[in-house]
Amino acid sequence: IGGHSFGGGVAIEVARRLRDAGEDVPLLLLGDTVRTRTDLAAFQTDEVAHTAMTRALYALYGDRLALSPADLDALPPSDALQRIADAVAETGLVGPIALPIDRMVAVFKANWRALGGYRPAPIPGDMALIRTEGGFPAEFLDYEPADSLADPGLGWTELVQGRLDVRTMPGDHLSILDGDNLPVKAELVAELVSEAVGN
């Protein structure tokens, strides 16, 4: 069972429930998931939400858009988000973005409320973590205390009751699934799965 970023917290709780029910979970795998120690209230402001979403979209699709970071930085945050959302939709990279921007921002804020409110209990069994060399977006670094980020296990070390296996790969939190980085991640996942199931 595994998850990237926010999905890592979901994976932890799914694995916990299965293990508590006596099920075998040979591998719990987190992809660049940090244990947050703040409520991340700043992400409930439109300005931070718009800026973070704009930078995330640019990190994912910017190399295929006729836009530069300077083009977006020159705009107010809400306009920059609309501009890059339109540009992504125009290229057909993800199809039309039919959900209105304000609804997308509401979902973004809800996700960050959930992340900021998550206070995990000790994690039974073993866990593996793949972390990126480039780390996390500037918006997150601005609002998250350094405690978890300084831990090689991204804050999970003290909670994992079994073995914690930490691996590192190129890229950063947003480019972990880029074409250049995906083969590296796939190889790491395959290796961890093989070790977990004893093959």
Side-chain angles (χ1 to χ4, degrees), residues 50 54 67 71-85:
H50 293 157
T54 298
L67 285 173
D71 295 330
L72 297 169
D73 289 344
L75 298 171
S78 59
D79 294 346
L81 177 56
Q82 185 66 63
R83 177 70 189 94
I84 194 165

Side-chain angles (χ1 to χ4, degrees), residues 6 8 30-31 44 75 93 96 113 124-125 137 147 150-151:
F6 181 92
L30 275 55
Q44 299 307 306
L75 298 171
L93 289 170
R113 281 196 304 276
D147 307 44
D151 172 21

Side-chain angles (χ1 to χ4, degrees), residues 7-179:
V10 176
I12 287 170
E13 295 309 317
V14 170
R16 181 194 311 284
R17 290 185 182 203
L18 288 171
R19 286 170 171 168
D20 286 349
E23 297 285 342
D24 183 31
V25 179
L27 178 63
L28 168 59
L29 174 61
L30 275 55
D32 223 31
T33 300
V34 67
R35 175 188 171 199
T36 188
R37 305 196 187 237
T38 177
D39 64 5
L40 300 172
F43 286 82
Q44 299 307 306
T45 67
D46 284 347
E47 183 175 358
V48 172
H50 293 157
T51 299
M53 291 175 70
T54 298
R55 290 192 182 167
L57 285 171
Y58 193 84
L60 293 169
Y61 304 110
D63 60 341
R64 288 163 280 179
L65 303 177
L67 285 173
S68 72
D71 295 330
L72 297 169
D73 289 344
L75 298 171
S78 59
D79 294 346
L81 177 56
Q82 185 66 63
R83 177 70 189 94
I84 194 165
D86 290 344
V88 170
E90 287 163 12
T91 64
L93 289 170
V94 295
I97 300 178
L99 192 64
I101 291 290
D102 61 336
R103 295 282 303 283
M104 292 172 64
V105 171
V107 170
F108 175 91
K109 289 179 178 179
N111 287 342
W112 283 93
R113 281 196 304 276
L115 183 62
Y118 178 51
R119 295 297 177 262
I123 301 166
D126 298 339
M127 189 174 89
L129 169 70
I130 298 174
R131 61 178 297 170
T132 56
E133 294 169 354
F136 295 86
E139 290 75 29
F140 187 75
L141 297 177
D142 287 344
Y143 300 108
E144 177 63 29
D147 307 44
S148 290
L149 300 171
D151 172 21
L154 293 178
W156 303 106
T157 302
E158 65 187 45
L159 290 181
V160 177
Q161 296 179 316
R163 176 174 173 262
L164 176 60
D165 186 355
V166 179
R167 311 287 176 99
T168 305
M169 65 170 283
D172 60 29
H173 189 71
L174 296 174
S175 68
I176 193 171
L177 298 178
D178 278 1

